[in-house]
Amino acid sequence: MEFEGSVSEVLPDARFRVKLDNGHEMIAYTAGKMKKNRIKTIEGDRVTVEMSPYDLDKGRIIFRHKDERASSGPRPPQRGGGNMRRR
């Protein structure tokens, strides 16, 4: 089952307290694909949570929705210099 909600608190051990749109609060962890692609989640982010019908208090964050505050403003400069090699 998939639900949408927002992260209300960042907890230790890469867990988050998520308040779903229907008012239910749960504990969720980041999915492996999100860790692999280094997608960071902070308090206030809109997320999609996947949960089992057998345990409605735990879930897995499978998607972080883009918000309008991330797209506003200039992008910070990239580190590393691109294709330039040092000799």
Side-chain angles (χ1 to χ4, degrees):
M1 299 183 339
E2 291 183 7
F3 295 99
E4 288 190 17
S6 62
V7 176
S8 59
E9 184 181 357
V10 178
L11 301 171
D13 200 26
R15 296 189 184 268
F16 304 92
R17 186 174 312 277
V18 177
K19 184 167 179 110
L20 301 178
D21 291 342
N22 60 10
H24 184 74
E25 278 202 14
M26 59 178 294
I27 303 294
Y29 63 92
T30 306
K33 288 265 188 183
M34 290 181 66
K35 287 181 185 175
K36 177 184 171 190
N37 292 311
R38 296 186 179 136
I39 298 173
K40 302 295 180 194
T41 306
I42 59 172
E43 190 172 328
D45 282 348
R46 297 280 305 158
V47 293
T48 300
V49 179
E50 183 179 66
M51 39 192 308
S52 167
Y54 301 109
D55 189 1
L56 300 176
D57 292 330
K58 296 180 193 165
R60 175 174 49 224
I61 298 174
I62 58 172
F63 189 78
R64 182 180 60 90
H65 298 276
K66 291 190 176 188
D67 55 350
E68 53 278 348
R69 66 184 162 158
S71 62
S72 64
R75 209 171 147 192
Q78 295 290 322
R79 289 183 53 185
N83 294 340
M84 300 178 70
R85 278 199 241 166
R86 243 184 223 174
R87 293 184 185 200

